[in-house]
Each structure stands twice: as C-alpha cells, then as structure tokens.
Amino acid sequence: MLFIFITLLIDVIGIGIIIPVVPALIEKLTGEGISVAATYGGWLTFAYAVFQFLFSPILGALSDRFGRRPVLLFSLFGLGLDYIFQAFAPTIFWLFIGRIIAGITGASFTTATAYIADISTPEKRAQNFGMVGAAFGLGFIIGPLIGGFASTGGTHVPFLVAAGLSLINFIYGYFALPESLSMKNRRRFDWKRANPVGSLKQLKKYPLVMGLVGSFVLLFIASHAVQSNWVYYTVYKFQWTEKAVGLSLAFVGIMIAIVQGGLIRFIMPKLGQHGAIYVGLLLNMISLILFGLANQGWMMYAILLPYALAGIAGPAMQGIMSSEVPANEQGELQGGLTSVMSLTSIIGPLLMNNLFAYFTMASAPFLFPGAPFMAGALMVLVAVFLAYNTLSKSTTK
C-alpha cells in the first residue's frame, strides 16, 4: 500500500499542478473569453475520455496477463509526454494531441485499483480503495498550490513541473514498485474481452456489479458539474484568480484526504457498505444543490465539507463490486469500470461545460451559472433509487 500510495500521490500532484492554469492557457491559445474556454475545456476532456474509453480495457487485460507493474510504468511515462506536449503547445490543436496521448496511456488509476485488490482481503478492500482517494486528496493539496505559484512564471511553467514529476514518478516506480499479481493468478490476453463492449459483457456474469454500474455512471457524470466547472464557475461568479483557485483546490484535497485516508476507516464499519453508499449519494446531491445556489466565495469552502464526506460512496461501491470478482479478473473489472468512467468523462464535461457556457452567455434566457450543479443533483437522485433497487436484492451488507 505504501508503494502504490506514493506512486499515485506523485501522479495526482502532477494533475493538480496544471488545473489552475488550464483556462488561462486555452484563452491564450484561442483569444476567446472564459465561456468559450469552458467549451474548449469540455472538448479536451472529451478527447482524453474517448481514447481512455477505448484503451482502458486493453491495458486492464494486459495487466491481468503481464502484471500490474509494467502497465503502471507505461502509463506514468505517457502522462509525462502529455504534459510536455501541453507545455509547448503553439496552438489548441497540440493540446488535443497531448490529451489523446494521455487517454491512450492513462491507466494509472485502473492499474492501481487492481493492484490494491490484489493485496487486500475482501473485507478491507473498500477501506483500501479509500487510499486512492487519500492520494487524490493530498495530491490536490500540494499540486494546485504549486501550480498557482508556478503560474506566475507563465502558463507553460506548471506543465513543465508536472512533466518532471511524472517522469520522476516513472523512475521511482521502476526501482521501487514491486509486482502484486502472482503468476498463478494471471490469465491469457483475449482481444474479444479487451475492449469496452467485451469487458462489460464479462461483467454481466455478476448481476450485483452490473446493477451498480448504472449508479456509478450517473454519479460520475454528475461529478463533472464540480470537476469540469470548478475553475470556470469560481472565476466567473467570484472573480477568483489562479492562486485563489489553487488554494480552493488545496482545501478540496485536505477534505478528501481526511475522509478517504482516515474517517472512512471508522465510518465504513459503522454504516456498512450499503449504508455508506446511501449516505454518500444523499450528501453528494445536497452539496451540488448548495454549490449551485452559493452567492459568496466563502460558501464554496463551507459546502466542501459535506461534499468531501460524500466521497465514501465510491470506495463502498468499488469494494462491493471487487468482492464479486475472482483474482484473475480484477484487472478486467477495473479496466471495465475505468472504461465506464471514461464514457462518463465523454458525456459529463460536454454536458456540464456547455450548460455553464449557455447559462453565462449574453444570449441566455436568464443567467444561472449554477445550472450544471442542479443537473448533477438530479442525476444523483436517480442514482440513489438505482442503488437501492440493486442492493435491496443483495444478501451482503
């Protein structure tokens, strides 16, 4: 867990570094304002997600065949190349090229969750999956702070810092990261299963897994109301600077790290995995509504408290699904789930960013930048009913 935690932490720091400056870079390359930049941002995420959707099942299946370590190293190296492309991008076209490279090689979280499943007992998996969230949280404390201050040297500097970190992470993983998948638990590579449709067909063997996929999809589409719009929303509504955005994302990271790295180990045994899903989804829905209605910047910080606590739902879902699948199919499961998440990253940013763009343009019937948050809250409400319908038929708690 320590090896994989450090690897993921460095990975997320790199991602966090570039977030505060992406809108400014898009505005610089296109010469357009924040509303149009949000639309371009949605299409960049779309490009990344399409290629991750296509390639995640392949990399997941390869990790079941050759082990987690080589696939994870390949992913880290590809991420470093992506940042270099973006640092020196002369036009918006080259930003898209970089995102496509990252989508093809972007299996670090897929492989990490399979790695954690390899080394965890079934009853500890949900808690250990929370360590992924803890790495995410700590990375978002450190990354945006570095990015916010590095941006004073120009919009390209944070990308160069992120590229350096990713390549250092690759070197660290090469020398320090052990293999987690034993030879006896490996299976042959099969092209019929190593694609989004094939991997999802395999999951049909597990009704509980397939039943939770619907809630998973809606939850992750809804999450893009925050993930894809946070910078645009706060810049537009509260006139936050890159540094202010970086500080807010660092606070997001602190909250996530506290919940995923610590509180989840106390909450999960008390609520059970089913209870954690219901409580997490309901807190998520309430938080999204409050984000959309906030009219002062400090309110965003206050609302982040229940929103971070809502993060217990994701690890609980993953824990239940992982426990249903044998050891030699964990890579396929996580590849399939990443492919599903990528599909939501195709739909989510386009939907949420365009909702934001539409309701902040002068031609909109009325100005309402919080529209994406309300759409997300409605989706999470549906996810609650789908989860209840699935889990009420399950014998495990």
Side-chain angles (χ1 to χ4, degrees):
M1 284 301 301
L2 179 62
F3 284 117
I4 203 69
F5 177 78
I6 293 172
T7 300
L8 283 176
L9 176 61
I10 299 173
D11 197 5
V12 178
I13 289 172
I15 296 170
I17 284 172
I18 68 167
I19 287 178
V21 295
V22 168
L25 180 61
I26 295 173
E27 287 182 285
K28 177 183 174 182
L29 293 177
T30 62
E32 302 286 353
I34 192 71
S35 293
V36 175
T39 303
Y40 272 109
W43 283 108
L44 282 167
T45 307
F46 173 86
Y48 171 83
V50 166
F51 282 87
Q52 190 177 59
F53 173 72
L54 295 173
F55 281 86
S56 284
I58 296 174
L59 294 174
L62 286 172
S63 79
D64 280 342
R65 172 65 183 87
F66 297 106
R68 317 301 184 202
R69 185 175 180 274
V71 175
L72 186 57
L73 292 177
F74 171 74
S75 174
L76 295 174
F77 187 75
L79 192 61
L81 291 181
D82 167 47
Y83 292 139
I84 292 171
F85 262 91
Q86 292 185 83
F88 295 106
T91 65
I92 195 75
F93 170 79
W94 288 102
L95 281 187
F96 280 96
I97 296 297
R99 290 284 77 196
I100 288 169
I101 292 172
I104 292 171
T105 61
S108 56
F109 281 87
T110 301
T111 314
T113 48
Y115 194 110
I116 290 169
D118 292 338
I119 63 175
S120 303
T121 59
E123 60 273 11
K124 290 289 185 182
R125 276 183 184 156
Q127 296 176 35
N128 287 342
F129 282 138
M131 293 302 291
V132 177
F136 194 91
L138 284 173
F140 266 78
I141 298 169
I142 302 166
L145 283 174
I146 296 173
F149 286 101
S151 66
T152 57
T155 53
H156 66 289
V157 175
F159 290 93
L160 292 175
V161 176
L165 274 177
S166 292
L167 295 176
I168 290 170
N169 202 9
F170 167 79
I171 295 169
Y172 166 78
Y174 183 83
F175 288 104
L177 189 69
E179 180 56 63
S180 65
L181 187 65
S182 64
M183 295 301 295
K184 68 178 182 179
N185 284 330
R186 300 187 185 188
R187 64 177 179 85
R188 69 182 183 86
F189 181 85
D190 184 356
W191 279 107
K192 291 181 180 179
R193 295 169 63 170
N195 61 79
V197 176
S199 62
L200 290 176
K201 279 185 177 178
Q202 285 299 116
L203 296 183
K204 287 176 68 177
K205 296 186 298 185
Y206 310 103
L208 190 60
V209 173
M210 284 304 295
L212 286 174
V213 164
S215 293
F216 212 68
V217 166
L218 288 170
L219 177 62
F220 277 91
I221 291 176
S223 72
H224 282 280
V226 178
Q227 292 177 21
S228 298
N229 275 298
W230 183 267
V231 179
Y232 304 105
Y233 182 73
T234 54
V235 168
Y236 176 87
K237 195 164 186 179
F238 309 115
Q239 293 76 53
W240 285 3
T241 63
E242 284 93 343
K243 284 186 179 179
V245 170
L247 288 170
S248 73
L249 291 174
F251 184 75
V252 172
I254 292 170
M255 291 298 98
I256 292 174
I258 290 171
V259 172
Q260 304 282 0
L263 289 182
I264 195 170
R265 296 182 178 273
F266 300 99
I267 295 171
M268 198 72 72
K270 292 185 179 297
L271 294 179
Q273 290 182 328
H274 291 199
I277 291 172
Y278 297 139
V279 170
L281 290 176
L282 289 171
L283 283 174
N284 191 295
M285 180 184 70
I286 293 167
S287 300
L288 289 174
I289 293 170
L290 294 175
F291 279 138
L293 298 176
N295 55 25
Q296 294 187 47
W298 67 265
M299 294 180 179
M300 302 297 284
Y301 280 88
I303 301 163
L304 281 170
L305 299 175
Y307 184 74
L309 193 57
I312 61 176
M317 285 188 191
Q318 280 190 294
I320 290 173
M321 290 188 279
S322 180
S323 297
E324 295 287 307
V325 175
N328 65 354
E329 294 181 17
Q330 289 294 330
E332 182 176 55
L333 168 66
Q334 301 304 334
L337 291 178
T338 301
S339 192
V340 167
M341 288 170 64
S342 301
L343 185 60
T344 69
S345 295
I346 294 170
I347 301 166
L350 289 179
L351 173 62
M352 300 305 181
N353 286 46
N354 279 289
L355 272 174
F356 173 82
Y358 178 75
F359 282 100
T360 55
M361 287 181 177
S363 58
F366 56 93
L367 289 177
F368 184 43
F373 296 105
M374 297 304 173
L378 184 60
M379 290 179 185
V380 176
L381 179 61
V382 176
V384 172
F385 287 107
L386 290 179
Y388 178 78
N389 184 56
T390 298
L391 297 176
S392 62
K393 301 171 186 175
S394 171
T395 56
T396 62
K397 298 298 180 184

